[in-house]
Amino acid sequence: MGVMESSIKTSEAPLSRDDLARLVARDIAPGSFVNLGIGQPTLVSNYLTEDQDITLHTENGMLGMGPEARGDDIDEDLINAGKIPVTELPGASYFHHADSFAMMRGGHLDICVLGAFQVSVTGDLANWHTGAPGAIPAVGGAMDLATGAKDVFVMMTLLTREGASKIVESCTYPLTGVGCVTRVYTDKAVFLTGPAGITVRETFGCTLEELQELVPVPLKAAVAA
């Protein structure tokens, strides 16, 4: 499987969860309305800056969510959709669950950041069920977010515990959304999805050629803007 010569940025080591969250936060455009999914994506709230003026939405009924609450800031009645205590920013508002989902389904979110079990080469997303016997489905609002948000960013480790790539030719798990993912952030690289296939924006702790050995779909370096 060939790979285009790499001129992309490469760092020396894979990213930690917090490093990855910091990178995603940096890439969110100022003034955006954003939903952060359960798991790794919740960490992104800790690295958004005041200058970005980001409004965070959580599907259990809140706009204006702040970073994760710690110590004396913890209010057990103030949580995000993943049941993690959070803070509120000035101007925060609360509303019915149905109104929250109307915001998600109505195209009012600029970006949602979700975890994933698999992402296909065409941007299909599988993140709610592995299909394994006895596995507990956990769809929540993922389908509404995946189809309602203008951009879908995925945050995940590139490989499973068994060493298989989560970026695949086609998803073998039940789909959450079709062709919805625009960008994938992993501990080893940032991938951009689109009609032309998958391009790699930057790598962490490996070269593009080494990354290609891990991922079973053709990769090419993204062209600098």
Side-chain angles (χ1 to χ4, degrees), residues 38-225:
I38 294 171
Q40 285 195 56
T42 62
L43 296 173
V44 173
S45 67
N46 297 332
Y47 298 102
L48 296 170
T49 66
E50 185 175 348
D51 290 344
Q52 286 178 281
D53 190 28
I54 304 300
T55 301
L56 292 181
H57 166 277
T58 178
E59 65 197 61
N60 54 321
M62 180 182 180
L63 271 178
M65 183 179 74
E68 182 179 343
R70 302 181 186 278
D72 293 339
D73 290 331
I74 293 176
D75 177 348
E76 293 184 358
D77 291 324
L78 185 59
I79 60 173
N80 63 19
K83 300 183 176 62
I84 295 173
V86 295
T87 55
E88 58 182 3
L89 299 180
S93 60
Y94 304 90
F95 32 84
H96 191 278
H97 206 102
D99 295 322
S100 180
F101 271 70
M103 294 177 191
M104 292 155 56
R105 295 167 179 168
H108 303 290
L109 294 174
D110 297 303
I111 297 170
C112 70
V113 186
L114 300 172
F117 295 132
Q118 292 177 329
V119 175
S120 80
V121 69
T122 56
D124 296 343
L125 171 67
N127 80 341
W128 69 279
H129 192 22
T130 64
I136 300 174
V139 63
M143 292 180 181
D144 307 88
L145 289 166
T147 58
K150 297 181 179 72
D151 273 306
V152 177
F153 293 174
V154 163
M155 244 180 112
M156 65 182 188
T157 57
L158 177 60
L159 305 177
T160 67
R161 293 178 182 176
E162 293 74 30
S165 173
K166 295 181 185 178
I167 291 181
V168 294
E169 182 68 33
S170 59
C171 294
T172 57
Y173 296 153
L175 291 184
T176 306
V178 176
C180 58
V181 177
T182 52
R183 196 175 299 181
V184 182
Y185 293 84
T186 77
D187 52 330
K188 294 184 180 296
V190 176
F191 302 87
L192 311 178
T193 63
I198 292 184
T199 58
V200 180
R201 192 184 75 180
E202 55 191 302
T203 62
F204 316 117
C206 62
T207 65
L208 182 61
E209 291 74 15
E210 291 168 336
L211 188 67
Q212 183 66 86
E213 295 298 316
L214 301 174
V215 179
V217 299
L219 301 176
K220 56 185 177 181
V223 177

